[in-house]
Amino acid sequence: MDKILEGLVSSNHPVPLKKAIVKKVIEAAEKDVTKEQCQAMFTLTTHLVLLGEDAFQKQVGFQVLEAYGRYHRPEFEIYFSKDFVLGLLQQGYGELHHKDPAIIDFIHSCLRLLISCPSVLEIFSVIQVEVLRMVCERPDPALCARISTLLSDFVQCIPKDKTGVLFCQQLVRTISYFQCFASEEQELREYVNQVTRVSTLLQNIWKADPTTLLPSLQEMFSIISSTELSYEPSIALASLVQYIPVQMITVLIKSLTTDQSVKDATMTKALCRMIDWLSWPLAHHVDIWVIALLKGLAAVQKFTILIDVTLLKIELVFNRLWFPIVRQGALAVLSHMLLSFQHSPEAFHLVVPRVVSLVQSLKTDGHPHSSTFLLQFAELIHCMMYHYSGFPDLYDHILDSIKDLPKPGEEKIKLVLNQSAWTSQSNSFAPGFLRPSGKSETGKTGLVNLGNTCFMNSIIQTLFMATDFRRHVLSLHLNGSNTLMKKLQLLFAFLAHTQRAAYAPKNFLEASRPPWFNAGSQQDCSEYLRFLLDRLHEEEKTIQALQSSEHKTVSNDDKNDNGPRLLASPAENGESSSTPPQCDRRTLTERMFGGKLKTGIRCMNCNSISEKGEPFTDLSLAFCPPASSVDSGHAEGPAAGPELHCQGSVNGGSENPESGPVKSPASSVSIVPVTNEPPLSVPDLVNYFLAPEILDADNAYFCEKCSSLQQAERTLKIVSAPEYLILTLLRFSYDAKCHVRRKILDNVTIPALMRLPVHSRVSVPTTSTSLQEDSPECSENLAKKLKPSQNDEEEGTDGAAHDRVEASVQSVPYVLCSVVMHSGLSSESGHYYSYGRNLCEVDGTQQLANCLSLQDDAGSPRADHVPSCSSLTVSSEKGDAPPPCGHAEKDWLLFNDSRVTFASFQSVQNITNRFPKDTAYVLMYRKQEIPGKNQNGTAMANGMRMNAEPPLHKELLDAIIKDNKLFLQEQELNARTQVLQASSSCSSRPNGSDDNNPPGSCGPSGGGGGGGGFNTISRLVF
């Protein structure tokens, strides 16, 4: 029969005839035949299957072999022995190489015929050994796929125990050798199918024997992390990732990132190759593992690896977005890489040139998921352009391409950026001693206490939270100058953009410290603030004078930007359309903090009036004496104003106090007896400051018209309201009797919004009075005390009271934006910290004003009403409305040196009740616009409001990028050191000089708390 079959398949007879005869041969298999005939038939069919000239011969061979093997199984067992199988696997068959996939297919078919025979067990043991050998020989994808199919159908052939672990490891390494050189889609599909069959085998082995999983993963990491391979590992390894349990991510990533035997170079190589896996078309969970490893490296502060990998692979990841089958995972990795790479725009700018073309493609490719994907992509781009503003030449075309897509809100962008930064990620990968010391959840930066420098830190944070002032400082073009304003600009830039949790302002401290301030000693923050603003003002005045002198020596065509410019152009800053007039030569300090007071003295004998205008940058508010000490016969005091509830006696706040019936010196008290009277409020102190004062007795006024000392009335009026109103509560006084400095601990109610009476310019006949304003003496020191001396006063000659024109008064609303607190019982010790409002929109105060009720006659007081300062409250009619912006949760921040935490307005108001020695000292209010009204000196009229944060100048951006890289290197070095010293590691504060006690008190190197700081010279602090 075998001779007939052999002659038939090689004959030239028609195929139908051949098939008919083959059918007869198959049917004859049911009949009894001799052993020799069976062996001859098995030999022939094996030859046809393995060496057949065409598909017909191979098909005939399989059909006949199967028939004879089924009906003559004992004879087939003898033929298909373990030795025969071993020979096939080791030597092949005839001309057929042993690595030919046909060998595996043949064995696979024969095993199906012997599955119920005892002899098959011996064959299984042979195959277990041989498949391990074959896998070690790195078979190609086709052969490896056939082996995998064989082992999946006959799991008894899979190596067991130790050889099973070795087999899995070698199979993983074999996959790393896979390469696909196909260009046709069908060939590519076949290649992917082959890889899938191999990875499915490994999945089944891992499920059946979990002990093989970890060694397999270790082998995979060994492959992708090797820097000495002679080949590039195949991205087909990505097919295994989907079979690794996601629950193992934390354990595996922690093991990898904390293993000291894993060098930076190997980790970098491994991460780069994992990112390459995003190109695998069926790469499930690859993005999850890549992001987990990126986070793990950030947790142990290996920032060098993260920087190198991001810059190497960001473009490849971006290019994966073009392919719908892998774009979702690629976008997840791209988003994490860009959002976490916050120290420099370098990574983002590498992909910027590709953004527009991708957006256009997504809009037109017609893919069902492209529109949703485009929204996610546009949100990412908006976040990056917000974080790295200041590159309009790069971003303009991008904005045009996504202008019709929704833009995320500023708060959402800030939240996303804050959560994504390397230094602020919260995860469980790092050991407790390696937690990143990034920014707090507030996203704000603290200031390191450099040794009793809390006085400076609190003032700097207060000025930084003055939004308009900060934006104008950052927008100035200073052209590499070495001025104090330049140093302040750099400090503000770091506070806004550094990745450090706390910045050490060493250079600014040295440049801004008053000469009489002893280094390392506690100082007065109000005194420092006045000195700082005065320095900035004088410095700008000097530059303006130099520019004016240079202007006279150059032609009109050369009027360019030579030298530092402290006034940036509106177009550069993005200011509102209303800009300061060109003739406005006021300095930035004047425009932001400068107001004007008018001091008037009226002789009560001849009624002649002397008036003098003086600028101010802050108002020093004294506490009024007890009501019992006020002479009831006098008419002074804030007439028709709010009732003053005086709780303590105190000197009026000057080293050379003036005497007077109302503001006379009295014995100081450090603790106020408990009374039933309500506490003083800030408006009470302002009204007391503005209250008329009688000058008589030893303090009588010398009237030039009367040519003698006369009783007189002195008045103070605010005639120009500052953009930011700074109020200093004079809490420190000197007790001449006891020769001690005391602090007034009275609680003062701080309103969120108050009205300040501002008088318009008084039109007075020249024959009756003379008014001195903007005198050189006044402009020399903006921050000086506003109590004019007799030598500076100008008297009227023949005027009378009835010649005076009634002044127009407006109640200008101000909203609270910052409060500096002093904690302690003495001016020479204690601690300063500050609260600041976190604006929730471009002009966050506008919402607050709209929530508050203003009286209809706020700007038109009655003729019989003396205008006074008062607080404003929330209208009862809007009780159902949401709380104003300034009262909302997390709208207030507590700046305590290097720590920045969320606070609330209630905590600001109640701080003294909770901590009696913690009292408000310096307050900053921001002028609030009333829609439809143009108040005296309005900011909008002068173009002082800027709509958004200005882009950083290149010099500032370069400095921040350089420091951010340095910070990441410091963190990484510190982390490595801590790991090496883990046995003796202990938790410590990151900056050492911080405060851990209730909001006040400096540490050993802080603000001098606990009695520290008494080595300062004896002086009063106001």
Side-chain angles (χ1 to χ4, degrees), residues 523-543:
Q523 307 294 342
D524 177 49
C525 72
S526 176
E527 186 178 5
Y528 174 77
L529 174 61
R530 291 196 192 100
F531 177 82
L532 176 61
L533 294 180
D534 186 51
R535 275 279 308 278
L536 295 173
H537 165 73
E538 293 298 329
E539 189 177 77
E540 187 172 351
K541 279 289 189 184
T542 301
I543 292 176

PDB file of all heavy atoms in Angstrom, residues 523-543:
ATOM      1  N   GLN A 523      14.483  92.314  64.706  1.00  0.00           N
ATOM      2  CA  GLN A 523      14.248  93.681  64.283  1.00  0.00           C
ATOM      3  C   GLN A 523      12.755  93.911  64.119  1.00  0.00           C
ATOM      4  O   GLN A 523      11.953  92.977  64.184  1.00  0.00           O
ATOM      5  CB  GLN A 523      14.986  93.985  62.973  1.00  0.00           C
ATOM      6  CG  GLN A 523      16.468  93.653  62.986  1.00  0.00           C
ATOM      7  CD  GLN A 523      17.269  94.505  63.945  1.00  0.00           C
ATOM      8  OE1 GLN A 523      16.805  95.560  64.379  1.00  0.00           O
ATOM      9  NE2 GLN A 523      18.473  94.061  64.293  1.00  0.00           N
ATOM     10  N   ASP A 524      12.418  95.173  63.905  1.00  0.00           N
ATOM     11  CA  ASP A 524      11.011  95.537  63.748  1.00  0.00           C
ATOM     12  C   ASP A 524      10.625  95.496  62.277  1.00  0.00           C
ATOM     13  O   ASP A 524      11.261  96.139  61.432  1.00  0.00           O
ATOM     14  CB  ASP A 524      10.776  96.939  64.325  1.00  0.00           C
ATOM     15  CG  ASP A 524       9.339  97.384  64.110  1.00  0.00           C
ATOM     16  OD1 ASP A 524       8.443  96.600  64.420  1.00  0.00           O
ATOM     17  OD2 ASP A 524       9.141  98.508  63.610  1.00  0.00           O
ATOM     18  N   CYS A 525       9.578  94.741  61.934  1.00  0.00           N
ATOM     19  CA  CYS A 525       9.203  94.569  60.533  1.00  0.00           C
ATOM     20  C   CYS A 525       8.654  95.858  59.934  1.00  0.00           C
ATOM     21  O   CYS A 525       8.845  96.131  58.740  1.00  0.00           O
ATOM     22  CB  CYS A 525       8.192  93.433  60.401  1.00  0.00           C
ATOM     23  SG  CYS A 525       6.548  93.807  61.024  1.00  0.00           S
ATOM     24  N   SER A 526       7.981  96.687  60.738  1.00  0.00           N
ATOM     25  CA  SER A 526       7.441  97.940  60.217  1.00  0.00           C
ATOM     26  C   SER A 526       8.570  98.900  59.851  1.00  0.00           C
ATOM     27  O   SER A 526       8.521  99.566  58.815  1.00  0.00           O
ATOM     28  CB  SER A 526       6.520  98.586  61.260  1.00  0.00           C
ATOM     29  OG  SER A 526       6.067  99.848  60.814  1.00  0.00           O
ATOM     30  N   GLU A 527       9.575  98.949  60.677  1.00  0.00           N
ATOM     31  CA  GLU A 527      10.726  99.788  60.383  1.00  0.00           C
ATOM     32  C   GLU A 527      11.435  99.308  59.116  1.00  0.00           C
ATOM     33  O   GLU A 527      11.862 100.105  58.279  1.00  0.00           O
ATOM     34  CB  GLU A 527      11.689  99.770  61.568  1.00  0.00           C
ATOM     35  CG  GLU A 527      12.864 100.718  61.439  1.00  0.00           C
ATOM     36  CD  GLU A 527      13.755 100.698  62.664  1.00  0.00           C
ATOM     37  OE1 GLU A 527      13.504  99.869  63.575  1.00  0.00           O
ATOM     38  OE2 GLU A 527      14.708 101.480  62.713  1.00  0.00           O
ATOM     39  N   TYR A 528      11.532  98.003  58.980  1.00  0.00           N
ATOM     40  CA  TYR A 528      12.154  97.435  57.784  1.00  0.00           C
ATOM     41  C   TYR A 528      11.331  97.756  56.537  1.00  0.00           C
ATOM     42  O   TYR A 528      11.890  98.106  55.492  1.00  0.00           O
ATOM     43  CB  TYR A 528      12.295  95.924  57.941  1.00  0.00           C
ATOM     44  CG  TYR A 528      12.790  95.229  56.691  1.00  0.00           C
ATOM     45  CD1 TYR A 528      14.130  95.272  56.331  1.00  0.00           C
ATOM     46  CD2 TYR A 528      11.907  94.528  55.868  1.00  0.00           C
ATOM     47  CE1 TYR A 528      14.588  94.656  55.180  1.00  0.00           C
ATOM     48  CE2 TYR A 528      12.357  93.904  54.714  1.00  0.00           C
ATOM     49  CZ  TYR A 528      13.700  93.964  54.379  1.00  0.00           C
ATOM     50  OH  TYR A 528      14.142  93.357  53.239  1.00  0.00           O
ATOM     51  N   LEU A 529      10.013  97.666  56.644  1.00  0.00           N
ATOM     52  CA  LEU A 529       9.149  97.961  55.500  1.00  0.00           C
ATOM     53  C   LEU A 529       9.319  99.406  55.048  1.00  0.00           C
ATOM     54  O   LEU A 529       9.437  99.690  53.846  1.00  0.00           O
ATOM     55  CB  LEU A 529       7.691  97.679  55.861  1.00  0.00           C
ATOM     56  CG  LEU A 529       6.645  98.080  54.825  1.00  0.00           C
ATOM     57  CD1 LEU A 529       6.876  97.331  53.514  1.00  0.00           C
ATOM     58  CD2 LEU A 529       5.239  97.821  55.355  1.00  0.00           C
ATOM     59  N   ARG A 530       9.343 100.344  55.999  1.00  0.00           N
ATOM     60  CA  ARG A 530       9.518 101.746  55.626  1.00  0.00           C
ATOM     61  C   ARG A 530      10.868 101.973  54.951  1.00  0.00           C
ATOM     62  O   ARG A 530      10.982 102.683  53.958  1.00  0.00           O
ATOM     63  CB  ARG A 530       9.407 102.633  56.859  1.00  0.00           C
ATOM     64  CG  ARG A 530       8.009 102.687  57.450  1.00  0.00           C
ATOM     65  CD  ARG A 530       7.882 103.858  58.406  1.00  0.00           C
ATOM     66  NE  ARG A 530       6.652 103.734  59.182  1.00  0.00           N
ATOM     67  CZ  ARG A 530       6.606 103.271  60.426  1.00  0.00           C
ATOM     68  NH1 ARG A 530       7.724 102.900  61.016  1.00  0.00           N
ATOM     69  NH2 ARG A 530       5.465 103.185  61.068  1.00  0.00           N
ATOM     70  N   PHE A 531      11.912 101.364  55.515  1.00  0.00           N
ATOM     71  CA  PHE A 531      13.248 101.520  54.931  1.00  0.00           C
ATOM     72  C   PHE A 531      13.283 100.932  53.520  1.00  0.00           C
ATOM     73  O   PHE A 531      13.847 101.545  52.596  1.00  0.00           O
ATOM     74  CB  PHE A 531      14.284 100.832  55.825  1.00  0.00           C
ATOM     75  CG  PHE A 531      15.679 100.869  55.268  1.00  0.00           C
ATOM     76  CD1 PHE A 531      16.479 102.000  55.431  1.00  0.00           C
ATOM     77  CD2 PHE A 531      16.188  99.784  54.571  1.00  0.00           C
ATOM     78  CE1 PHE A 531      17.763 102.038  54.899  1.00  0.00           C
ATOM     79  CE2 PHE A 531      17.472  99.817  54.044  1.00  0.00           C
ATOM     80  CZ  PHE A 531      18.269 100.948  54.217  1.00  0.00           C
ATOM     81  N   LEU A 532      12.667  99.779  53.339  1.00  0.00           N
ATOM     82  CA  LEU A 532      12.685  99.120  52.032  1.00  0.00           C
ATOM     83  C   LEU A 532      11.961  99.963  50.983  1.00  0.00           C
ATOM     84  O   LEU A 532      12.490 100.195  49.886  1.00  0.00           O
ATOM     85  CB  LEU A 532      12.043  97.734  52.149  1.00  0.00           C
ATOM     86  CG  LEU A 532      11.887  96.943  50.855  1.00  0.00           C
ATOM     87  CD1 LEU A 532      13.250  96.673  50.227  1.00  0.00           C
ATOM     88  CD2 LEU A 532      11.150  95.621  51.121  1.00  0.00           C
ATOM     89  N   LEU A 533      10.761 100.420  51.310  1.00  0.00           N
ATOM     90  CA  LEU A 533      10.011 101.228  50.351  1.00  0.00           C
ATOM     91  C   LEU A 533      10.730 102.545  50.059  1.00  0.00           C
ATOM     92  O   LEU A 533      10.731 103.023  48.916  1.00  0.00           O
ATOM     93  CB  LEU A 533       8.598 101.492  50.874  1.00  0.00           C
ATOM     94  CG  LEU A 533       7.689 100.266  51.010  1.00  0.00           C
ATOM     95  CD1 LEU A 533       6.318 100.682  51.528  1.00  0.00           C
ATOM     96  CD2 LEU A 533       7.558  99.526  49.689  1.00  0.00           C
ATOM     97  N   ASP A 534      11.335 103.130  51.087  1.00  0.00           N
ATOM     98  CA  ASP A 534      12.070 104.376  50.886  1.00  0.00           C
ATOM     99  C   ASP A 534      13.281 104.156  49.982  1.00  0.00           C
ATOM    100  O   ASP A 534      13.565 104.959  49.084  1.00  0.00           O
ATOM    101  CB  ASP A 534      12.516 104.923  52.244  1.00  0.00           C
ATOM    102  CG  ASP A 534      13.153 106.296  52.110  1.00  0.00           C
ATOM    103  OD1 ASP A 534      12.532 107.171  51.472  1.00  0.00           O
ATOM    104  OD2 ASP A 534      14.272 106.485  52.618  1.00  0.00           O
ATOM    105  N   ARG A 535      13.994 103.048  50.171  1.00  0.00           N
ATOM    106  CA  ARG A 535      15.139 102.732  49.314  1.00  0.00           C
ATOM    107  C   ARG A 535      14.707 102.556  47.863  1.00  0.00           C
ATOM    108  O   ARG A 535      15.359 103.057  46.932  1.00  0.00           O
ATOM    109  CB  ARG A 535      15.815 101.447  49.809  1.00  0.00           C
ATOM    110  CG  ARG A 535      16.840 101.636  50.913  1.00  0.00           C
ATOM    111  CD  ARG A 535      18.189 102.089  50.382  1.00  0.00           C
ATOM    112  NE  ARG A 535      18.686 101.256  49.312  1.00  0.00           N
ATOM    113  CZ  ARG A 535      19.331 100.096  49.482  1.00  0.00           C
ATOM    114  NH1 ARG A 535      19.544  99.642  50.724  1.00  0.00           N
ATOM    115  NH2 ARG A 535      19.771  99.415  48.447  1.00  0.00           N
ATOM    116  N   LEU A 536      13.625 101.806  47.656  1.00  0.00           N
ATOM    117  CA  LEU A 536      13.146 101.583  46.298  1.00  0.00           C
ATOM    118  C   LEU A 536      12.744 102.900  45.635  1.00  0.00           C
ATOM    119  O   LEU A 536      13.021 103.131  44.452  1.00  0.00           O
ATOM    120  CB  LEU A 536      11.957 100.607  46.309  1.00  0.00           C
ATOM    121  CG  LEU A 536      12.262  99.179  46.764  1.00  0.00           C
ATOM    122  CD1 LEU A 536      10.964  98.378  46.882  1.00  0.00           C
ATOM    123  CD2 LEU A 536      13.211  98.486  45.803  1.00  0.00           C
ATOM    124  N   HIS A 537      12.084 103.759  46.417  1.00  0.00           N
ATOM    125  CA  HIS A 537      11.661 105.051  45.895  1.00  0.00           C
ATOM    126  C   HIS A 537      12.855 105.923  45.537  1.00  0.00           C
ATOM    127  O   HIS A 537      12.930 106.489  44.433  1.00  0.00           O
ATOM    128  CB  HIS A 537      10.784 105.741  46.943  1.00  0.00           C
ATOM    129  CG  HIS A 537      10.564 107.198  46.692  1.00  0.00           C
ATOM    130  ND1 HIS A 537       9.739 107.656  45.697  1.00  0.00           N
ATOM    131  CD2 HIS A 537      11.080 108.299  47.308  1.00  0.00           C
ATOM    132  CE1 HIS A 537       9.737 108.977  45.710  1.00  0.00           C
ATOM    133  NE2 HIS A 537      10.539 109.388  46.678  1.00  0.00           N
ATOM    134  N   GLU A 538      13.802 106.057  46.453  1.00  0.00           N
ATOM    135  CA  GLU A 538      14.964 106.909  46.211  1.00  0.00           C
ATOM    136  C   GLU A 538      15.814 106.375  45.059  1.00  0.00           C
ATOM    137  O   GLU A 538      16.351 107.142  44.260  1.00  0.00           O
ATOM    138  CB  GLU A 538      15.804 107.014  47.487  1.00  0.00           C
ATOM    139  CG  GLU A 538      15.118 107.751  48.631  1.00  0.00           C
ATOM    140  CD  GLU A 538      14.814 109.187  48.283  1.00  0.00           C
ATOM    141  OE1 GLU A 538      15.579 109.776  47.491  1.00  0.00           O
ATOM    142  OE2 GLU A 538      13.811 109.718  48.788  1.00  0.00           O
ATOM    143  N   GLU A 539      15.915 105.073  44.967  1.00  0.00           N
ATOM    144  CA  GLU A 539      16.697 104.470  43.898  1.00  0.00           C
ATOM    145  C   GLU A 539      16.098 104.792  42.529  1.00  0.00           C
ATOM    146  O   GLU A 539      16.811 105.162  41.592  1.00  0.00           O
ATOM    147  CB  GLU A 539      16.729 102.952  44.127  1.00  0.00           C
ATOM    148  CG  GLU A 539      17.676 102.196  43.241  1.00  0.00           C
ATOM    149  CD  GLU A 539      17.682 100.730  43.615  1.00  0.00           C
ATOM    150  OE1 GLU A 539      16.719 100.022  43.250  1.00  0.00           O
ATOM    151  OE2 GLU A 539      18.636 100.294  44.281  1.00  0.00           O
ATOM    152  N   GLU A 540      14.786 104.685  42.438  1.00  0.00           N
ATOM    153  CA  GLU A 540      14.132 104.973  41.170  1.00  0.00           C
ATOM    154  C   GLU A 540      14.213 106.465  40.839  1.00  0.00           C
ATOM    155  O   GLU A 540      14.387 106.847  39.680  1.00  0.00           O
ATOM    156  CB  GLU A 540      12.678 104.512  41.209  1.00  0.00           C
ATOM    157  CG  GLU A 540      11.983 104.619  39.867  1.00  0.00           C
ATOM    158  CD  GLU A 540      10.606 103.975  39.871  1.00  0.00           C
ATOM    159  OE1 GLU A 540      10.262 103.303  40.867  1.00  0.00           O
ATOM    160  OE2 GLU A 540       9.886 104.151  38.873  1.00  0.00           O
ATOM    161  N   LYS A 541      14.091 107.313  41.848  1.00  0.00           N
ATOM    162  CA  LYS A 541      14.242 108.744  41.630  1.00  0.00           C
ATOM    163  C   LYS A 541      15.626 109.069  41.065  1.00  0.00           C
ATOM    164  O   LYS A 541      15.776 109.893  40.157  1.00  0.00           O
ATOM    165  CB  LYS A 541      14.023 109.504  42.950  1.00  0.00           C
ATOM    166  CG  LYS A 541      12.563 109.731  43.312  1.00  0.00           C
ATOM    167  CD  LYS A 541      11.932 110.756  42.398  1.00  0.00           C
ATOM    168  CE  LYS A 541      10.544 111.149  42.871  1.00  0.00           C
ATOM    169  NZ  LYS A 541       9.883 112.082  41.915  1.00  0.00           N
ATOM    170  N   THR A 542      16.631 108.411  41.627  1.00  0.00           N
ATOM    171  CA  THR A 542      17.994 108.650  41.153  1.00  0.00           C
ATOM    172  C   THR A 542      18.154 108.225  39.698  1.00  0.00           C
ATOM    173  O   THR A 542      18.761 108.939  38.887  1.00  0.00           O
ATOM    174  CB  THR A 542      18.995 107.878  42.037  1.00  0.00           C
ATOM    175  OG1 THR A 542      18.853 108.312  43.393  1.00  0.00           O
ATOM    176  CG2 THR A 542      20.423 108.107  41.573  1.00  0.00           C
ATOM    177  N   ILE A 543      17.593 107.081  39.361  1.00  0.00           N
ATOM    178  CA  ILE A 543      17.689 106.597  37.974  1.00  0.00           C
ATOM    179  C   ILE A 543      16.958 107.541  37.032  1.00  0.00           C
ATOM    180  O   ILE A 543      17.426 107.834  35.925  1.00  0.00           O
ATOM    181  CB  ILE A 543      17.143 105.163  37.879  1.00  0.00           C
ATOM    182  CG1 ILE A 543      18.063 104.204  38.629  1.00  0.00           C
ATOM    183  CG2 ILE A 543      16.999 104.730  36.420  1.00  0.00           C
ATOM    184  CD1 ILE A 543      17.562 102.779  38.677  1.00  0.00           C
TER     185      ILE A 543
END
